[in-house]
Amino acid sequence: PSFIPEVLARIRDIERQNPTPEPVDEAQALLNGTWSLVATYSVKGGKIAGGGAGARDGPLAALQALSDVVYETLYKNNKWSWLAGGMNSAGTEAARSFQNIDVDRKEILNIVEFSGGRITVTGSIEREDPSTLGVIFESSTIEISGPFGGGSLVVKVPLPRPKGFVETTFLDSDMRISRGSRSNLFVTVRAKS
C-alpha cells in the first residue's frame, strides 16, 4: 500500500527518540513481559541483512538455510502473513500475536492465536549487545480446537534451532519497536493483564 513509506518514516522518527538505548543492559525489567504485535513490516536494514545471526557454515548451515526459506515463504507471502499476526489477503486481522520475553530466564515465547487454534514457538535468548538479543528457536506447538470430541489436537514440532536476533530500537513502558535478523520491523505494545 502507498501509505507504508510514510508509516516507516514515522517509525524511524520514533526510534530516534528512544528513551532506552541499551535495554538489554540497563532496562531488563522494562524489556521483560508480554508484548502484543500491532504492526510488522518487511524492511531493509538491520545488523545482518537477509538471514539469521551467526556463522553460515558448519553442519547446521543447511538447516538454517531451510529455515530461512520456510520463514520467507510463510511470513512474507501475503496468503500466510497472518501467521505473524498481520492482515490476511482480505485486509482484515486474521490472528493476534504476542511475544513474552524473560531476560532473567533467557526465554522467549511467541504466540499466534487464530480462529480455531494457536501456534506457540519457544526459544532461548542471550545478550548480543546492549540493545540486541540473540534468539534460538527450539520448539513449536500447534494447537487446533475443533471437533475432536470437544478437545484440541496438539502437535509438537521440533525445530532445527533456527538462529536470529531482535534489536530493540525503541522501548518505553508501553511500546517496543524492534528489528529482526530477517529484515522485519515489529511494533508492539505491552499486553494488558
Side-chain angles (χ1 to χ4, degrees), residues 7-191:
V7 170
L8 295 175
R10 297 292 171 237
I11 290 171
R12 283 191 296 277
D13 290 343
I14 293 169
E15 288 173 316
R16 283 192 279 277
Q17 300 173 36
N18 186 7
T20 317
E22 298 184 350
V24 176
D25 289 348
E26 298 177 355
Q28 290 182 3
L30 199 57
L31 187 58
N32 285 341
T34 302
W35 297 91
S36 178
L37 184 67
V38 175
T40 183
Y41 301 95
S42 178
V43 297
K44 297 295 179 202
K47 296 182 182 202
I48 301 173
R56 302 299 255 163
D57 54 8
L60 295 179
L63 289 176
Q64 183 70 47
L66 176 62
S67 171
D68 290 348
V69 169
V70 169
Y71 183 89
E72 185 168 341
T73 301
L74 292 179
Y75 185 83
K76 292 182 180 179
N77 182 313
N78 192 35
K79 291 181 182 178
W80 297 99
S81 62
W82 61 270
L83 287 170
M87 300 290 181
N88 62 18
S89 58
T92 59
E93 183 179 50
R96 297 181 325 149
S97 290
F98 301 93
Q99 184 175 72
N100 186 283
I101 298 173
D102 190 326
V103 177
D104 298 328
R105 291 183 178 197
K106 298 184 176 187
E107 295 174 346
I108 192 165
L109 178 68
N110 290 346
I111 301 167
V112 179
E113 295 176 341
F114 55 92
S115 176
R118 74 189 296 169
I119 299 170
T120 305
V121 180
T122 59
S124 59
I125 54 176
E126 62 182 38
R127 180 192 183 279
E128 292 281 325
D129 66 39
S131 65
T132 306
L133 294 170
V135 180
I136 299 175
F137 291 109
E138 298 166 347
S139 66
S140 179
T141 303
I142 302 169
E143 182 177 344
I144 300 174
S145 304
F148 304 107
S152 297
L153 173 66
V154 178
V155 178
K156 293 188 183 248
V157 180
L159 298 176
R161 299 179 59 85
K163 295 180 181 181
F165 71 79
V166 62
E167 177 186 14
T168 298
T169 57
F170 180 91
L171 178 67
D172 67 15
S173 60
D174 298 314
M175 183 170 67
R176 185 177 113 236
I177 299 173
S178 55
R179 293 177 180 264
S181 53
R182 295 184 173 163
S183 300
N184 292 306
L185 173 88
F186 304 98
V187 179
T188 58
V189 294
R190 191 168 299 278

